């Protein structure tokens, strides 16, 4: 690869990581000055709470980073998931007894560091794997590491918006504006 191509790759990685970092920041920022109880409180008609959103984004980012490295084997077999598996998965959306906001945020930071290192060290963002069979994926589709990172960014940004609404409903605080 020539120097110009290498700079383009580095710029792309920097852009992806910078964008992801911005949305991670906004998601975390919605929890500023909250107690564990507030982080676990539902404040809208939704089942979502701030701590649960961060747990969900943490779990999602971890799974997709593992997908970049290991492919489909890193993802659950959705066809064989039981009711108990889906109930366990639902716990990613709420703070459970004994969980703290500090712990949830620390887990998110750990996953973010792993993802950032993976993106920096990955030889090629074009490496792809077939997606697992699931009702929400197109049959036979493949995603590149680049596409997975874009998905992680979109997921994080979407949930940062959800978090802003939940926080505003809790105590009127806003992330922006």
């Amino acid at each position: 690869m020539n120097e110009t191509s290498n700079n383009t790759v580095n710029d792309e990685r920097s852009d992806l990581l910078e964008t992801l970092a911005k949305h991670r920041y906004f998601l975390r920022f919605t929890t500023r000055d909250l107690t564990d109880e507030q982080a676990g409180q539902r404040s809208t008609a939704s089942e979502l709470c701030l701590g649960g959103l961060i747990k969900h984004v943490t779990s999602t980012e971890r799974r997709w980073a593992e997908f970049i490295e290991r492919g489909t084997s890193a993802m659950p077999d959705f066809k064989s998931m039981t009711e108990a598996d889906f109930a366990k998965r639902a716990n990613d959306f709420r703070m459970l007894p004994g969980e703290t906001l500090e712990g949830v945020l620390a887990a998110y930071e750990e996953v973010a560091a792993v993802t950032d290192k993976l993106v920096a060290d990955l030889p090629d963002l074009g490496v792809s794997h077939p997606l697992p069979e699931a009702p929400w994926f197109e049959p036979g589709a493949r995603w590149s590491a680049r596409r997975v990172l874009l998905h992680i960014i979109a997921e994080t940004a979407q949930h940062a918006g959800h978090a802003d609404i939940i926080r505003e409903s809790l105590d009127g605080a806003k992330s922006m504006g």
Side-chain angles (χ1 to χ4, degrees):
M1 184 181 295
N2 66 39
E3 189 174 324
T4 304
S5 297
N6 193 31
N7 286 339
T8 302
V9 170
N10 289 336
D11 289 345
E12 178 184 22
R13 289 169 200 254
S14 295
D15 287 347
L16 289 166
L17 290 174
E18 185 179 317
T19 302
L20 181 55
K22 178 180 75 171
H23 293 297
R24 286 177 182 146
Y25 169 79
F26 283 123
L27 178 59
R28 287 189 314 269
F29 187 67
T30 60
T31 66
R32 71 198 178 280
D33 303 323
L34 292 180
T35 65
D36 294 337
E37 181 182 347
Q38 287 172 310
Q41 183 180 340
R42 289 176 47 208
S43 63
T44 66
S46 169
E47 292 285 326
L48 299 174
C49 66
L50 291 172
L53 273 176
I54 292 171
K55 281 178 60 179
H56 167 67
V57 171
T58 300
S59 173
T60 299
E61 183 170 326
R62 179 185 300 114
R63 187 170 292 121
W64 281 111
E66 290 171 356
F67 174 83
I68 291 171
E69 291 185 302
R70 299 191 342 249
T72 306
S73 67
M75 304 299 265
D77 178 2
F78 296 103
K79 293 187 308 186
S80 65
M81 285 180 70
T82 66
E83 197 171 306
D85 294 328
F86 281 107
K88 183 179 176 192
R89 192 170 186 228
N91 284 336
D92 279 351
F93 290 93
R94 57 181 148 268
M95 291 204 32
L96 302 175
E99 291 181 330
T100 64
L101 179 57
E102 181 180 0
V104 167
L105 289 169
Y108 189 35
E109 287 297 318
E110 289 173 20
V111 166
V114 169
T115 301
D116 291 352
K117 181 169 178 11
L118 173 65
V119 172
D121 294 346
L122 196 65
D124 181 4
L125 293 178
V127 66
S128 70
H129 301 290
L131 291 173
E133 289 185 39
W136 45 87
F137 294 133
E138 180 183 329
R142 296 180 66 88
W143 277 12
S144 67
R146 181 180 296 101
R147 174 81 183 266
V148 169
L149 289 168
L150 292 170
H151 178 73
I152 292 170
I153 291 167
E155 179 93 5
T156 305
Q158 177 181 18
H159 289 311
H162 293 147
D164 198 35
I165 291 167
I166 293 168
R167 177 61 191 258
E168 189 173 358
S169 297
L170 273 175
D171 63 4
K174 297 177 187 178
S175 296
M176 296 190 300

